[in-house]
């Protein structure tokens, strides 16, 4: 008798499971949601676009504008440098490209996006190297345009 009850319960469970599967299959589905990435990513992207940062404007600005000479690298104190080293620092900052994806030089990226987390440490390293005399003048430095 006990085996009969276990069998009956198993059959009822099987019927319920099959019914639920059929019901799910016939139920109308909601449209698939596009993968927007992490919520913080979309918020950060929207903020960059609202501010008009370089990364958000990357596709709308031509490469000539991205290579435009910038006289001052914003956010860095160059008053401790001699005039020769200050010029050297600005020339190298205008020669090296930022690797954040904006397409600007380091000087341009700091000018158009002073909050860029990629260009800030690179410019600081460049400033420290020029201050220590590790950057020679000559090849590699951009000529003033």
């Amino acid at each position: 008798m006990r085996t009969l009850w276990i069998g009956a319960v198993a059959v009822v469970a099987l019927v319920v499971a099959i019914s639920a599967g059929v019901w799910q299959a016939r139920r109308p589905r909601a449209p698939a949601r596009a993968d927007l990435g992490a919520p913080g990513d979309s918020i950060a992207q929207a903020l960059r676009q609202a501010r008009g940062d370089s990364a958000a404007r990357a596709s709308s600005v031509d490469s000539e504008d991205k290579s435009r000479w910038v006289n001052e690298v914003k956010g860095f104190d160059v008053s401790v440098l001699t005039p020769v080293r200050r010029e050297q620092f600005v020339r190298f900052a205008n020669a090296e490209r930022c690797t954040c994806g904006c397409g600007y030089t380091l000087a341009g990226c700091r000018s158009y996006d002073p909050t860029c987390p990629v260009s800030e440490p690179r410019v600081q390293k460049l400033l420290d190297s020029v201050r220590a005399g590790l950057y020679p003048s000559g090849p590699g430095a951009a000529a003033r345009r």
Side-chain angles (χ1 to χ4, degrees):
M1 186 69 166
R2 185 178 181 143
T3 319
L4 184 63
W5 277 103
I6 292 174
V9 169
V11 168
V12 168
L14 183 63
V15 169
V16 168
I18 291 172
S19 299
V22 169
W23 180 75
Q24 285 289 334
R26 291 182 159 205
R27 196 171 132 202
R29 299 181 194 271
R33 207 178 121 203
D35 184 20
L36 299 175
D41 293 343
S42 59
I43 292 171
Q45 180 182 5
L47 288 172
R48 282 193 306 272
Q49 289 173 343
R51 287 192 317 251
D53 290 348
S54 60
R57 299 183 332 149
S59 61
S60 64
V61 181
D62 63 7
S63 63
E64 186 176 311
D65 189 40
K66 291 181 179 186
S67 298
R68 188 176 55 203
W69 182 268
V70 177
N71 289 321
E72 177 187 350
V73 182
K74 294 184 178 180
F76 292 89
D77 181 24
V78 294
S79 63
V80 295
L81 298 176
T82 65
V84 171
R85 288 198 175 163
R86 187 176 306 139
E87 178 67 24
Q88 198 176 22
F89 169 70
V90 171
R91 288 178 66 191
F92 274 101
N94 276 289
E96 293 183 27
R97 294 271 174 206
C98 184
T99 57
C100 74
C102 68
Y104 284 96
T105 62
L106 288 174
C109 187
R110 296 308 301 165
S111 179
Y112 294 109
D113 185 8
T115 62
C116 177
V118 176
S119 64
E120 182 178 13
R122 290 192 65 209
V123 172
Q124 185 62 54
K125 184 178 177 181
L126 173 64
L127 179 62
D128 294 342
S129 297
V130 169
R131 186 180 300 137
L134 300 177
Y135 269 83
S137 58
R144 183 176 215 131
R145 291 180 231 132

